[in-house]
Amino acid sequence: MRHSVAGYTLGRTKGARIALRRNLIKQFFTHERIQTTKAKAAAIRGDAERLITLARNSANGTEIQKVNARRLAVSRLGDNQLIKRLFDEIAPRFANRPGGYTRVMKLGPRRGDAAEMVILELVED
């Protein structure tokens, strides 16, 4: 039984899973739209939305809170250029939106292994 076991294992070891999620989120924030499998999109969607909310809420905080929010984001992503883009470009676009920053659009099965493919993208007003 899988009581109290949260998250998606994605058929990988812990290190590979962490690296995969980190790379997918980096690519998502870089391109603002990625094509991936449904399971991988579901695995990173919540983390991406939490990072956007962190960046959005830090805009109204003190300087110490802004630095703390950036440090938390760097610990999750590890890329200073991407953090700058997240806090300065992406988060201000969602300043008036209470949540739901991403959209998942189904594409259908992949030809090789019939995995359900989706497009994960940022919502634009």
Side-chain angles (χ1 to χ4, degrees):
M1 285 183 262
R2 297 188 72 235
H3 295 295
S4 300
V5 178
Y8 296 84
T9 58
L10 300 174
R12 287 166 171 78
T13 61
K14 182 179 179 182
R17 186 168 52 248
I18 290 170
L20 173 73
R21 292 174 73 158
R22 178 175 286 159
N23 286 330
L24 280 173
I25 293 173
K26 282 182 182 180
Q27 292 299 313
F28 178 60
F29 286 142
T30 302
H31 302 290
E32 299 182 8
R33 177 181 205 167
I34 58 171
Q35 179 178 339
T36 184
T37 63
K38 186 177 179 181
K40 290 176 186 175
I44 68 163
R45 185 178 189 184
D47 290 338
E49 294 216 1
R50 277 186 214 97
L51 285 169
I52 294 172
T53 301
L54 176 73
R56 186 177 66 92
N57 291 342
S58 72
N60 299 329
T62 64
E63 289 300 317
I64 294 172
Q65 290 171 336
K66 289 179 182 180
V67 170
N68 188 34
R70 284 181 184 260
R71 286 181 178 170
L72 285 171
V74 166
S75 71
R76 295 301 295 267
L77 296 179
D79 187 359
N80 288 330
Q81 295 292 346
L82 192 59
I83 297 302
K84 187 171 187 172
R85 177 174 164 79
L86 173 65
F87 278 77
D88 298 339
E89 295 176 24
I90 295 174
R93 284 192 268 166
F94 299 108
N96 298 324
R97 192 177 184 96
Y101 314 116
T102 59
R103 171 187 305 133
V104 176
M105 296 187 320
K106 294 181 181 181
L107 294 177
R110 183 164 52 194
R111 185 171 178 170
D113 60 355
E116 189 67 32
M117 297 298 290
V118 298
I119 291 179
L120 180 66
E121 64 184 2
L122 289 175
V123 175
E124 298 296 327
D125 288 336

